[in-house]
Amino acid sequence: MVEIRITIEAAVSILIEKMKIELKERQKCGLIPAGLRLEDVHLKDLQKILEASVFDTLFLLPIDLVVQNSNISYVLTEAIKSLARIFKKEEFYLINLNHIKKIIKQVSRFLENKTKNNYFKNN
């Protein structure tokens, strides 16, 4: 098992930055009213933004950390629970390890499928 040595606070910072970027993109597309901050977004929209941010964060990591067995699911789960205090959304406390593992599995399958062929080795 590969152990990722990152503090929960650092993971929270990464997720918040990704969430801000995702919010701006959704505001540009007109999906969320312009001028809203993350703290002001409705829970349903904030959950979608958070999930997209988790996907973005996973794709930023080295492939080995996502594909191999690691503690990334624990780190992300704890970071999301910390977001519950920051955004005052108790629903984030309900996130469980299995939900994050499902997201990681989706990303892992995608990466494994895309790296099956050896096209990337020629770059």
Side-chain angles (χ1 to χ4, degrees):
M1 180 169 131
V2 178
E3 183 178 344
I4 300 170
R5 293 187 178 202
I6 183 174
T7 64
I8 301 302
E9 292 80 21
V12 168
S13 295
I14 292 169
L15 280 177
I16 289 174
E17 287 305 311
K18 287 291 175 193
M19 290 175 74
K20 288 178 182 177
I21 292 168
E22 185 66 25
L23 175 65
K24 287 179 185 176
E25 289 300 316
R26 289 175 187 245
Q27 287 174 334
K28 282 182 188 176
C29 295
L31 299 173
I32 295 176
L36 285 180
R37 300 174 308 148
L38 283 172
E39 296 83 6
D40 303 329
V41 175
H42 293 290
L43 175 64
K44 187 176 179 180
D45 291 328
L46 192 60
Q47 287 173 328
K48 290 178 184 178
I49 289 170
L50 176 61
E51 191 165 314
S53 299
V54 169
F55 273 103
D56 287 349
T57 303
L58 288 171
F59 278 108
L60 284 176
L61 295 172
I63 292 175
D64 293 343
L65 293 179
V66 179
V67 175
Q68 294 179 4
N69 189 17
S70 70
N71 65 337
I72 189 66
S73 56
Y74 171 77
V75 171
L76 287 173
T77 302
E78 293 304 312
I80 292 170
K81 288 180 179 179
S82 295
L83 290 175
R85 286 188 302 262
I86 294 169
F87 295 118
K88 297 174 181 62
K89 305 287 186 193
E90 292 182 16
E91 291 81 4
F92 286 171
Y93 285 122
L94 301 176
I95 195 79
N96 62 20
L97 197 59
N98 290 330
H99 181 70
I100 297 300
K101 283 183 178 181
K102 285 179 185 177
I103 293 172
I104 293 171
K105 191 169 197 147
Q106 288 176 332
V107 173
S108 177
R109 270 193 247 132
F110 175 80
L111 291 172
E112 286 174 348
N113 191 21
K114 290 298 179 185
T115 57
K116 254 183 208 172
N117 55 32
N118 293 325
Y119 296 133
F120 69 95
K121 291 184 179 179
N122 294 331
N123 290 336

